[in-house]
Amino acid sequence: MTGDGPEVGRVRRLLRYAAALVVLLTGVLLSVPLGALCGTAGRERLIRRWTRSVVAAFGVRVRLPEPAPREPGRGLLVVSNHVSWLDVPLIAAVFPGRNVAKREIRDWPVIGRLCVRGRTIFIDRERIRSLPDTVAEIAQALRSGATVVAFPEGSTWCGREEGRYRRALFQAALDAGADVQPLLIRYRHADGTPSTEAAFLGEDTLMDSVRRVVAARGLSAEVAAFPRIAANALPDRRSLAAAARHACVVPAPRAAVPLQAGPHQGGTGGRTGAPPAGRTSGKRERAAPRSSTARSRTASTRTGRAT
């Protein structure tokens, strides 16, 4: 499947593949010794820099928010919409933490090993009865002060269409008394129109998606951080999931400057009460006209890949 925008030449693609391979292998080789030597704060700084390098190596420009400070030792559940495998390093560049992912990722080359070393919490989708144990594991991680990153939609969507937020993960935040940090990820062409090139959907293999990203010209990613929902601000997981979803439906705040432009500026999202749950009254912004490839990719979102 080809991309929905302009593409770079063969030489540029080869250079991106080489850069990405070097950055990924460096992360595998140095993750254990550097993590042990630098302590928690130093390790998080290294993760932020390394994940930014991963995204840049694939030729993607990014706009990232400055993470708001939080109390040391206090857990944080970070939730986001889900479009691509690139979502994981994008979020880690702002909020390093333990990821929640499908069990199959453990077997992916290079990435699977990094996930294991990063203490990823794996969900077995074939064993629904194991879900309460997974929720309990997430709650325990939050109680210990960890940042846990999860995608409540359960599957990747194209970015133009989105899924509902499943409630089970939010029970872990309630059980642990942890704040919830909503994020919104968007991928765009150089002209600012929405892009589906990074989407990982339907019958795509991981390499199908990687090839589209590497070939894309002017692809950019935006991560917007919304006000945190205070621990126990809402009485149940249904209303907490609705509030987190609602936060990502309203117009996104401006993110920080592009990666290559230097230090990040500004910030979003201190700890606040929950935004009102429910549907927004305004109309959502209409997407730019799509190509036949983009339309077919949108149509396949409901059979997307869960992570």
Side-chain angles (χ1 to χ4, degrees):
M1 183 181 294
T2 58
D4 61 351
E7 298 183 348
V8 299
R10 183 182 299 274
V11 173
R12 181 70 62 85
R13 298 184 198 188
L14 292 176
L15 290 174
R16 289 179 177 179
Y17 278 122
L21 182 61
V22 169
V23 172
L24 288 171
L25 291 178
T26 300
V28 172
L29 294 174
L30 299 182
S31 58
V32 174
L34 289 182
L37 293 173
C38 296
T40 301
R43 181 174 180 273
E44 289 189 354
R45 284 194 297 270
L46 287 172
I47 291 174
R48 288 192 183 102
R49 292 173 182 172
W50 178 73
T51 49
R52 290 170 188 169
S53 298
V54 169
V55 178
F58 283 103
V60 181
R61 297 183 178 184
V62 300
R63 297 170 66 89
L64 301 174
E66 188 71 23
R70 64 187 179 93
E71 300 174 33
R74 185 180 183 87
L76 180 68
L77 178 64
V78 178
V79 296
S80 174
N81 65 312
H82 202 10
V83 180
S84 171
W85 51 273
L86 273 173
D87 299 346
V88 175
L90 282 170
I91 294 176
V94 187
F95 293 100
R98 298 181 63 181
N99 289 282
V100 179
K102 62 180 181 180
R103 180 181 55 82
E104 291 86 342
I105 291 180
R106 190 197 302 263
D107 300 324
W108 285 9
V110 182
I111 295 175
R113 180 172 297 183
L114 287 171
C115 287
V116 171
R117 290 186 177 180
R119 302 178 65 200
T120 295
I121 300 171
F122 293 102
I123 293 179
D124 190 344
R125 296 175 301 170
E126 304 299 323
R127 298 177 60 246
I128 300 301
R129 292 181 180 179
S130 67
L131 182 59
D133 292 335
T134 303
V135 171
E137 184 179 359
I138 296 170
Q140 181 56 42
L142 293 170
R143 289 190 193 97
S144 70
T147 295
V148 177
V149 179
F151 300 101
E153 289 173 312
S155 297
T156 49
W157 290 66
C158 72
R160 291 191 177 107
E161 301 292 337
E162 296 170 351
R164 66 181 181 86
Y165 276 14
R166 301 182 182 184
R167 301 186 293 269
L169 295 172
F170 294 93
Q171 186 62 50
L174 290 173
D175 293 344
D179 295 352
V180 175
Q181 172 66 71
L183 300 180
L184 180 67
I185 298 175
R186 287 286 184 260
Y187 294 90
R188 300 188 184 277
H189 298 298
D191 62 1
T193 56
S195 170
T196 62
E197 285 169 313
F200 183 31
L201 300 170
E203 300 302 318
D204 283 355
T205 65
L206 176 60
M207 284 308 301
D208 288 335
S209 180
V210 169
R211 278 192 289 267
R212 283 197 304 270
V213 170
V214 168
R217 181 186 297 276
L219 181 63
S220 66
E222 301 173 355
V223 180
F226 294 83
R228 292 176 188 169
I229 303 173
N232 301 320
L234 293 168
D236 55 58
R237 64 186 184 182
R238 180 188 296 271
S239 54
L240 185 56
R245 181 69 184 86
H246 173 81
C248 297
V249 172
V250 298
R254 291 184 63 85
V257 297
L259 176 66
Q260 70 276 14
H264 299 303
Q265 300 171 355
T268 59
R271 181 168 174 252
T272 69
R279 296 182 178 178
T280 54
S281 57
K283 294 183 179 180
R284 299 176 68 180
E285 181 181 357
R286 294 179 62 87
R290 292 171 290 178
S291 65
S292 59
T293 299
R295 288 195 297 270
S296 66
R297 199 174 303 156
T298 300
S300 67
T301 55
R302 297 190 183 278
T303 59
R305 299 182 178 275
T307 58

